[in-house]
Amino acid sequence: MKLVERMDQQPGAVMECLVPVLKMIRTKFTTEFKLSHANEISQYTSVVRLFTCSETLAKSMLLTQIQVFMEFNAPVDWGVGGSYERTLLGAMFALNPCPRGAERLYTICEDINRILKTIIKLSPGLRHSVLNWLGRCLHANRGKVDLWSAHETEVFQKDFCSDGFSLNMCHVLLHLCTPFSTPGSPMLLKVKPSYTRAAPATDQQAEELCVHSRGLEDERTLAPYTEERQLPPEKCYTFICECFFLTHQALHIAYSMVYKLYKLNSSIVRLKRLLELLKETHTRRVIALVKMQLNREFCWYYNMKAALTEYSFTKMCLSFHVATATWLVQVASRDDVKDFPDVTLPLPVEIPKSLSSIPEFVITNYTMFVSSLEIFGGMDLLAGDRAILDHMMTLVLVFMGSPKRLADSDARAKLSEALDALLPRQNDDGSYNTSKTIEMTGQSVDDERKFNYRKSMHKLLQYMWKIPLHKQAIKGLASTAMKEIENTEPPLFLRFINLLINDAIFLLDEALDHMKQIKDLELERDTGKWDGLSAEAARDKETGLRHLGMMGRYRNVMANYTIYTLEILSREIRDIFCHSLMVDRVAGLLNYFLEHLVGPKQKEYKVRDRREYEFRPEQIVSDISHIYVYLGTSDTFCKAVLGETRSFSENLFQQATTVLEKIGVQAEFLVKFVELNDKLKGLEREAHHEEEMLADAPDEFLDPIMGTLMADPVTLPDSKTNMDRNVIARHLLSDQRDPFTNMPLSMDRVTPNTDLKQRINHWKAEQLKKT
């Protein structure tokens, strides 16, 4: 009471009396507390709370006291993210929410939340102080988002707040959002997209406008921003609007932890494999050092995972993201959002201006959260709640298929991962599995992301194929593609099939090449050729083998998915695969890889442990053989198989039959495969005869790329080269340029060469008459 009287009677005494106490508490938080001191931490947070809610002080004195408290929490440098962690408030944020030995430490977030809510409610000025501290802190730490990909992470980490700080910041802000974190909450109508463009120049303007988020105007937006698409600003924004965007900023920073966990997981996998190799060739000391590093990374991984998946945090994140989803869907349909009616798809063609003001990370936060739920086993939170799943799926459907509403293709592709995560996972025993293996190879982030997105789409397509309604829709796309296959703009399903074949060729070729290199290195090692190498050279060999193994496994996984997708589609969709535009490519793909997997070359890929690299040649041979049988009802396809002479031989199908017998395919299918072989033999005799007749065709009658007789010659506008229509059309599916000049080209610019076509047909007729 004497201290209170002195503070009340002497101007300046508040600062003199409180600052030493605050310094002592800050020292406790920043240097003295260990992770196991949960009770002591709780005692000191209670002391801090006394500064914000003392019932013994008059309100004027309490306001003065809290102002001193906020001034004391000013960082040394407002522009350096790490400076905030060295303040008292920042030191409280920095305590990890779920460390070992302190299961109840997450309550620190609840204590901070109570402190900040009390301060915010006391006066507009103090609310400004709190929001200003939070907004400037988030802006100063914005560079942390990209830190996970830096090679020298440790060098730059000191410039930013810690991961524990980021998560606790999210935890506290999510608490503030709790009142409106329900689907379709009327309070969400107070969230105005124009907030992101307010950008006050001074603290006074920030206080007047109630805009404390900084840097939002520099963020990439859902739809491109132009002055013509600028929204009219509000005179003053609400606390709800502030909390919404501040929370998304905080989540954007904190979710960089997921990428760190990916890298840690990959590192752990590599270390475990290295340890297995070292057990055979190295000393106990080297093995002990690797074990120490492995244990350290396991510790980091599980502590970070525990922090990221703490139940109350995850639950609040789910509620906030679902609420955000309901708001985003409405904003995507119209600018003047005044309620939350059911959304009818497709949405209007006109794109609301609001989407040009909303940061893209509002969507990517959602995708990161959903993906992390699946990866780290949190999908049980969604079990049985159809309403939540409907809201989450609606967001994906609205934005994933609309480049105008979500301009960035990478962001749309990430939605495919979220969609994949929301699909049920069914095990052999009928139970559902929500786990996902993470392993990044480190070769190319863009390459890995591209194929990871495609893996999600393969899984989605394979799931949809089991549902009659969706299967019929896919078949409808194929039917439309056949009707529009001659259009200037290639139909969607045709482009999809073309890309699918491109992927299959690239991935299988790469996978087999990696298996061959791995087999050669394993042979060198097992026959003792590494024994005479220096320690450094032997280590380089082991590192190279390990890297090849990761890349090979990655390619094999993707190749398995891609070939299986081709197999299920060709079961009931055949016309487009057998069309003259595609049939040669399909036949070439099947012949080439079947010959590699059942012919003499198969020995080149016999690695020591195929399971380690997800190498499944028997399954690929089975899938390819099934595609042959499905498409073999078409004579056009069969002639294309025979016409591809680089890989096809009269022994190919017999070799494949031997392999199919060994792997135990169904007898009924094996009979069909043998019957197809007989059909091919009959057609081969006819084709061989015709080939002899047309063997001496003049060069001007041959396509310059394929070297085959042109059936429908066309002339390219820039190079004036004559090409077969199907060959140039197939080329333009992947590359919209003249193959001889690299100038832009589309099918509507090529012109039929009727004179050349007539001469070719006349020559063919003359040749066939000779028989």
Side-chain angles (χ1 to χ4, degrees):
M1 290 299 294
K2 291 183 178 179
L3 178 62
V4 172
E5 290 174 4
R6 182 182 174 192
M7 291 166 60
D8 194 22
Q9 295 170 2
Q10 299 182 21
V14 176
M15 184 72 73
E16 179 185 344
C17 294
L18 297 187
V19 168
V21 179
L22 293 172
K23 285 183 177 179
M24 182 271 292
I25 298 173
R26 182 178 63 190
T27 301
K28 285 285 185 181
F29 277 111
T30 55
T31 62
E32 295 185 20
F33 282 145
K34 304 297 182 184
L35 293 179
S36 59
H37 292 174
N39 291 333
E40 192 174 359
I41 291 172
S42 181
Q43 292 173 6
Y44 277 90
T45 56
S46 296
V47 174
V48 175
R49 288 179 60 195
L50 288 176
F51 285 91
T52 63
C53 58
S54 175
E55 297 179 0
T56 60
L57 293 179
K59 184 175 180 179
S60 59
M61 182 58 65
L62 181 59
L63 291 173
T64 304
Q65 178 174 298
I66 295 175
Q67 191 62 49
V68 169
F69 174 78
M70 291 306 301
E71 290 174 5
F72 178 77
N73 278 288
V76 174
D77 188 335
W78 287 89
V80 177
S83 295
Y84 292 81
E85 200 159 331
R86 294 185 283 275
T87 66
L88 171 55
L89 189 57
M92 295 170 67
F93 272 118
L95 291 171
N96 193 299
C98 292
R100 292 174 298 168
E103 292 79 3
R104 298 179 61 190
L105 189 57
Y106 71 88
T107 57
I108 186 72
C109 299
E110 296 177 0
D111 289 335
I112 298 173
N113 178 60
R114 292 190 194 100
I115 291 168
L116 296 185
K117 284 179 73 173
T118 301
I119 296 174
I120 287 168
K121 290 179 179 179
L122 280 171
S123 74
L126 288 175
R127 182 177 67 178
H128 163 69
S129 297
V130 170
L131 294 177
N132 185 56
W133 193 94
L134 293 172
R136 296 182 71 169
C137 175
L138 291 171
H139 187 243
N141 282 288
R142 67 195 182 281
K144 186 177 172 66
V145 173
D146 300 317
L147 192 61
W148 71 272
S149 61
H151 293 293
E152 301 295 336
T153 301
E154 293 80 8
V155 175
F156 301 106
Q157 180 62 55
K158 65 180 184 299
D159 295 332
F160 303 105
C161 64
S162 65
D163 293 324
F165 181 104
S166 301
L167 282 175
N168 280 350
M169 174 81 78
C170 291
H171 205 296
V172 170
L173 285 167
L174 285 166
H175 264 297
L176 294 177
C177 294
T178 299
F180 58 86
S181 291
T182 55
S185 168
M187 287 185 277
L188 286 168
L189 299 174
K190 297 182 179 180
V191 178
K192 302 298 182 182
S194 61
Y195 174 91
T196 65
R197 293 286 159 181
T202 64
D203 282 355
Q204 182 179 352
Q205 287 183 1
E207 184 174 7
E208 292 171 353
L209 288 172
C210 291
V211 175
H212 293 89
S213 286
R214 285 172 167 77
L216 291 181
E217 70 279 5
D218 299 323
E219 294 287 345
R220 185 161 53 188
T221 51
L222 299 180
Y225 178 80
T226 60
E227 290 187 3
E228 291 76 18
R229 295 185 61 79
Q230 186 173 4
L231 296 168
E234 303 284 323
K235 293 181 179 179
C236 182
Y237 294 90
T238 64
F239 180 68
I240 289 173
C241 188
E242 293 247 56
C243 287
F244 179 88
F245 286 108
L246 285 169
T247 302
H248 270 295
Q249 276 188 294
L251 290 169
H252 184 47
I253 294 170
Y255 282 152
S256 63
M257 278 184 67
V258 176
Y259 291 115
K260 290 183 180 179
L261 284 169
Y262 289 173
K263 294 182 72 175
L264 268 176
N265 180 271
S266 297
S267 178
I268 288 169
V269 171
R270 289 193 292 269
L271 285 171
K272 289 171 70 176
R273 290 176 179 167
L274 176 61
L275 192 59
E276 290 299 316
L277 291 172
L278 292 179
K279 286 178 181 178
E280 302 175 4
T281 57
H282 284 72
T283 64
R284 291 182 179 179
R285 181 175 178 275
V286 175
I287 293 173
L289 289 173
V290 175
K291 281 185 176 180
M292 185 182 302
Q293 177 66 18
L294 182 60
N295 289 335
R296 183 162 56 245
E297 297 203 1
F298 262 124
C299 182
W300 292 341
Y301 178 85
Y302 284 114
N303 273 334
M304 290 175 69
K305 178 184 173 182
L308 191 64
T309 58
E310 189 274 317
Y311 181 78
S312 63
F313 174 74
T314 305
K315 192 73 173 174
M316 285 193 296
C317 277
L318 175 62
S319 298
F320 180 70
H321 283 303
V322 173
T324 297
T326 62
W327 177 80
L328 273 175
V329 166
Q330 298 299 328
V331 171
S333 61
R334 62 196 190 283
D335 273 320
D336 189 18
V337 178
K338 295 181 178 179
D339 54 5
F340 289 87
D342 291 338
V343 173
T344 302
L345 297 177
L347 294 181
V349 175
E350 186 178 352
I351 307 302
K353 292 181 180 180
S354 299
L355 297 179
S356 297
S357 294
I358 299 172
E360 185 183 288
F361 62 64
V362 175
I363 285 280
T364 56
N365 284 347
Y366 168 85
T367 57
M368 287 296 293
F369 171 71
V370 175
S371 297
S372 66
L373 270 186
E374 183 198 20
I375 291 166
F376 303 123
M379 297 303 288
D380 288 345
L381 287 171
L382 305 180
D385 199 326
R386 177 63 184 270
I388 287 180
L389 281 172
D390 283 350
H391 291 308
M392 299 176 82
M393 291 289 285
T394 301
L395 174 70
V396 173
L397 294 174
V398 165
F399 286 97
M400 185 175 167
S402 178
K404 291 184 178 180
R405 286 179 166 81
L406 181 55
D408 185 68
S409 58
D410 192 53
R412 292 200 308 277
K414 285 179 181 177
L415 281 170
S416 70
E417 294 186 337
L419 188 56
D420 173 29
L422 294 172
L423 296 180
R425 298 285 182 267
Q426 192 165 17
N427 297 321
D428 293 337
D429 61 0
S431 62
Y432 283 90
N433 171 34
T434 57
S435 63
K436 177 187 278 189
T437 302
I438 314 165
E439 183 176 357
M440 298 179 75
T441 65
Q443 183 188 42
S444 168
V445 172
D446 289 338
D447 184 53
E448 286 173 347
R449 283 180 177 173
K450 176 180 71 175
F451 283 111
N452 275 333
Y453 299 152
R454 292 183 185 180
K455 182 174 72 172
S456 296
M457 294 311 299
H458 285 305
K459 292 160 73 176
L460 174 63
L461 188 61
Q462 290 165 19
Y463 176 79
M464 292 170 63
W465 193 256
K466 299 175 184 177
I467 303 172
L469 179 65
H470 295 316
K471 179 197 285 190
Q472 197 57 42
I474 295 169
K475 292 170 69 174
L477 287 173
S479 177
T480 301
M482 284 299 297
K483 294 174 184 177
E484 301 175 355
I485 204 163
E486 301 292 341
N487 287 8
T488 300
E489 179 68 23
L492 176 65
F493 195 79
L494 176 64
R495 285 183 282 134
F496 169 71
I497 292 298
N498 182 67
L499 290 173
L500 197 61
I501 293 171
N502 287 347
D503 281 358
I505 294 170
F506 171 78
L507 290 165
L508 271 173
D509 211 24
E510 287 277 301
L512 292 178
D513 181 61
H514 281 87
M515 292 303 100
K516 184 178 185 300
Q517 293 183 60
I518 290 169
K519 188 248 185 182
D520 292 343
L521 285 174
E522 286 181 343
L523 185 63
E524 286 182 11
R525 183 190 61 196
D526 296 343
T527 54
K529 290 185 178 181
W530 293 6
D531 294 347
L533 299 175
S534 66
E536 182 178 357
R539 187 166 57 250
D540 288 344
K541 286 281 190 180
E542 289 170 353
T543 301
L545 178 57
R546 191 168 64 252
H547 182 68
L548 273 172
M550 285 189 298
M551 289 301 303
R553 183 178 186 277
Y554 187 80
R555 298 302 191 206
N556 279 320
V557 168
M558 290 306 307
N560 295 337
Y561 272 112
T562 307
I563 291 296
Y564 182 60
T565 297
L566 280 170
E567 192 270 334
I568 65 169
L569 288 175
S570 61
R571 292 174 194 173
E572 300 185 40
I573 297 173
R574 299 172 189 178
D575 288 353
I576 198 162
F577 290 106
C578 298
H579 189 276
S580 57
L581 191 61
M582 301 300 298
V583 71
D584 289 335
R585 294 199 69 216
V586 175
L589 160 71
L590 300 178
N591 287 354
Y592 179 77
F593 290 110
L594 188 64
E595 190 268 336
H596 276 68
L597 293 172
V598 303
K601 293 181 181 179
Q602 64 175 299
K603 297 177 182 179
E604 298 178 359
Y605 315 119
K606 288 189 175 181
V607 294
R608 189 163 66 174
D609 185 358
R610 294 186 306 189
R611 291 175 299 177
E612 180 180 355
Y613 308 116
E614 293 288 339
F615 183 42
R616 303 173 182 173
E618 295 93 346
Q619 185 60 51
I620 294 175
V621 169
S622 176
D623 289 342
I624 287 176
S625 299
H626 277 79
I627 297 172
Y628 273 117
V629 170
Y630 299 147
L631 304 184
T633 55
S634 165
D635 286 352
T636 302
F637 170 76
C638 291
K639 290 178 181 178
V641 169
L642 295 169
E644 195 283 309
T645 56
R646 181 182 64 166
S647 301
F648 184 81
S649 67
E650 61 181 10
N651 297 324
L652 181 60
F653 270 48
Q654 184 56 52
Q655 292 167 337
T657 301
T658 302
V659 172
L660 292 171
E661 288 174 343
K662 287 182 180 179
I663 63 178
V665 299
Q666 292 182 352
E668 182 181 355
F669 170 75
L670 196 59
V671 169
K672 291 180 179 179
F673 191 76
V674 172
E675 289 175 349
L676 175 61
N677 188 28
D678 293 338
K679 178 180 179 180
L680 288 172
K681 288 179 180 178
L683 290 172
E684 187 176 21
R685 289 188 290 271
E686 299 175 14
H688 182 69
H689 177 69
E690 185 172 340
E691 184 180 337
E692 287 182 343
M693 294 298 98
L694 304 179
D696 298 324
D699 288 345
E700 66 171 318
F701 292 175
L702 302 179
D703 180 85
I705 291 181
M706 299 302 296
T708 53
L709 191 67
M710 289 186 283
D712 187 5
V714 294
T715 303
L716 309 189
D718 296 310
S719 63
K720 305 303 180 184
T721 304
N722 294 315
M723 289 187 67
D724 189 81
R725 178 182 292 276
N726 283 330
V727 175
I728 186 60
R730 187 163 61 241
H731 167 83
L732 293 178
L733 286 174
S734 302
D735 186 354
Q736 290 74 47
R737 292 176 296 179
D738 186 314
F740 302 98
T741 65
N742 272 340
M743 296 296 290
L745 179 63
S746 57
M747 281 302 292
D748 61 325
R749 296 185 61 218
V750 305
T751 54
N753 193 327
T754 53
D755 177 64
L756 180 58
K757 184 175 182 178
Q758 289 174 358
R759 288 192 288 126
I760 292 173
N761 289 338
H762 178 73
W763 179 85
K764 284 174 63 177
E766 290 296 318
Q767 295 301 112
L768 294 174
K769 281 181 183 179
K770 296 178 182 179
T771 63

